[in-house]
Amino acid sequence: MSGFQSDKGMQPNLKEGVLALLENGKGQDISGSEMAERLHVSRNAIWKAIKQLKEEGYQIEAATNRGYCLHSDNNIVSAQGIYKYLTVDIPGIEVHKTTVSTNTILREKAEENSPEGTVVIAEEQTGGRGRMGRVFFSPAETGLYMSILLRPQLAVSEALNITTCAAVAVAEAIEMNTGIEAQIKWVNDIYCGNKKVCGILTEASFDMENMGINYAILGIGINVFQPRNAFPDEIRDVADALLNKEDNHEDFRNRLAAQVLNRFMKYYDNINDRKLLEEYKRRSLLLGREINILSKEGTQKATALDIDEQFRLKVLMQDGTTKFLSSGEVSVRSVT
Ligand code: BTN
């Protein structure tokens, strides 16, 4: 028999089952006895699950003779909430209240043979990782911190394509949900109005014998709501969030997560399609602009000319030579 057979010490799946029923009928009442029947448990077990969901912050209303109803202005990220908006096949989504880094959790899952497309999300990261060994500021309940496990048939030299698929997907999902124009700052930052709202970090395990990729962990961090205590001093001038208020944005993070996954999988399935490069270039923040190339040796001035098929940035140096950058840090130069 399938379902949930005990109401003593509630099973974790039961809470998820109740949440799925409430999510699917969002805004409409569903009685305790109907849920009990559908999930093969007692009404008391349903009541306990509802109580726990409320303690976690879900706004669930109970009306006599009508049943339970989930408020549509919940702003909690949940697997059930994301699945509702998905149009692609995702084998599993795990949502954590807090964790050190979603990339770390997913790496463990990758080693345990979890399937491609497995997703891990956190409401908060205490050790969110950014590029170049930096920390990615990941405060509670304001962002979307998400990692996706991939097992691509790509050569090592093509690993960068994963990040570029993600950059285009995130930019599109942001625009669809907010109407705000999103641009890509080579190679993998998303900017809205000249400030960074999203960072992407792809970590891969390489198969050196075959020069291929065993698996890749694609980590995406989006600043959705302004952090309660503002951004830290070090990033205050460059970082921003998509929205100002935490309320009145119904299901925003669930929708955004689903749309990032929907868009990303579309590009990922056609990863070598030229359309990806065209979309990437169309959204480029840098092309045609004066930039600084930052390296250990110092800063060099250049003009960003183009992005080639390997997603390298073609730049014109001040001495008249051209260079192709395949990684590194650049910033837009304000020309006075
Ligand atoms: C950067 O801007 O330097 C990249 C930031 C990537 C942050 C995301 S959040 C989800 C995933 N888990 C991490 O620890 N990092 C990535």
Side-chain angles (χ1 to χ4, degrees), residues 163-314:
T163 307
T164 49
C165 283
V168 175
V170 171
E172 287 180 355
I174 287 176
E175 281 187 5
M176 281 168 70
N177 276 283
T178 62
I180 303 168
E181 189 191 7
Q183 288 187 292
I184 302 167
K185 176 171 165 277
W186 181 87
V187 54
N188 56 1
D189 290 338
I190 307 299
Y191 271 56
C192 287
N194 284 325
K195 284 202 169 178
K196 175 170 167 175
V197 293
C198 166
I200 300 169
L201 174 71
T202 305
E203 297 178 299
S205 156
F206 295 114
D207 171 1
M208 291 322 258
E209 239 165 69
N210 302 310
M211 291 307 281
I213 299 171
N214 288 326
Y215 62 81
I217 309 288
L218 168 64
I220 300 171
I222 307 178
N223 305 328
V224 177
F225 301 112
Q226 294 290 348
R228 281 195 198 99
N229 301 318
F231 285 100
D233 290 347
E234 318 84 77
I235 56 170
R236 193 161 297 168
D237 290 344
V238 286
D240 204 352
L242 296 176
L243 305 172
N244 278 321
K245 279 199 201 142
E246 284 194 43
D247 46 7
N248 298 329
H249 295 288
E250 187 186 320
D251 239 4
F252 187 88
R253 285 182 300 164
N254 285 332
R255 261 188 294 135
L256 185 65
Q259 273 156 14
V260 168
L261 290 167
N262 291 339
R263 316 293 309 167
F264 172 75
M265 287 303 179
K266 193 191 82 171
Y267 285 110
Y268 179 64
D269 283 347
N270 301 288
I271 198 157
N272 291 318
D273 193 333
R274 234 198 114 76
K275 193 163 175 270
L276 174 66
L277 175 63
E278 281 160 21
E279 275 305 304
Y280 187 91
K281 278 167 67 166
R282 198 176 65 74
R283 291 181 177 278
S284 172
L285 179 82
L286 298 185
L287 291 188
R289 294 178 78 171
E290 303 302 309
I291 60 168
N292 284 324
I293 304 170
L294 316 165
S295 70
K296 275 190 214 130
E297 288 75 45
T299 301
Q300 283 179 295
K301 293 183 171 131
T303 309
L305 294 180
D306 199 3
I307 291 161
D308 75 0
E309 303 217 327
Q310 288 144 51
F311 293 97
R312 295 179 306 175
L313 184 67
K314 182 180 177 188

Side-chain angles (χ1 to χ4, degrees), residues 73-212:
D73 59 357
N74 276 310
N75 185 28
I76 295 177
V77 180
S78 72
Q80 292 80 3
I82 295 169
Y83 270 116
K84 257 187 338 194
Y85 301 106
L86 279 180
T87 54
V88 291
D89 214 13
I90 296 293
I93 302 176
E94 198 173 280
V95 180
H96 294 251
K97 271 256 165 264
T98 181
T99 187
V100 176
S101 158
T102 53
N103 271 25
T104 307
I105 297 191
L106 202 54
R107 183 181 284 259
E108 285 161 16
K109 289 186 177 294
E111 297 289 344
E112 290 159 6
N113 288 325
S114 288
E116 172 161 87
T118 301
V119 172
V120 172
I121 294 179
E123 287 268 15
E124 174 187 32
Q125 295 184 119
T126 51
R129 285 206 297 278
R131 285 176 70 226
M132 303 183 172
R134 286 192 286 247
V135 167
F136 186 76
F137 181 60
S138 317
E141 290 161 22
T142 60
L144 183 63
Y145 315 117
M146 173 161 83
S147 298
I148 309 163
L149 171 59
L150 303 167
R151 299 188 181 279
Q153 303 285 314
L154 290 178
V156 172
S157 58
E158 295 168 320
L160 191 59
N161 292 29
I162 297 171
T163 307
T164 49
C165 283
V168 175
V170 171
E172 287 180 355
I174 287 176
E175 281 187 5
M176 281 168 70
N177 276 283
T178 62
I180 303 168
E181 189 191 7
Q183 288 187 292
I184 302 167
K185 176 171 165 277
W186 181 87
V187 54
N188 56 1
D189 290 338
I190 307 299
Y191 271 56
C192 287
N194 284 325
K195 284 202 169 178
K196 175 170 167 175
V197 293
C198 166
I200 300 169
L201 174 71
T202 305
E203 297 178 299
S205 156
F206 295 114
D207 171 1
M208 291 322 258
E209 239 165 69
N210 302 310
M211 291 307 281

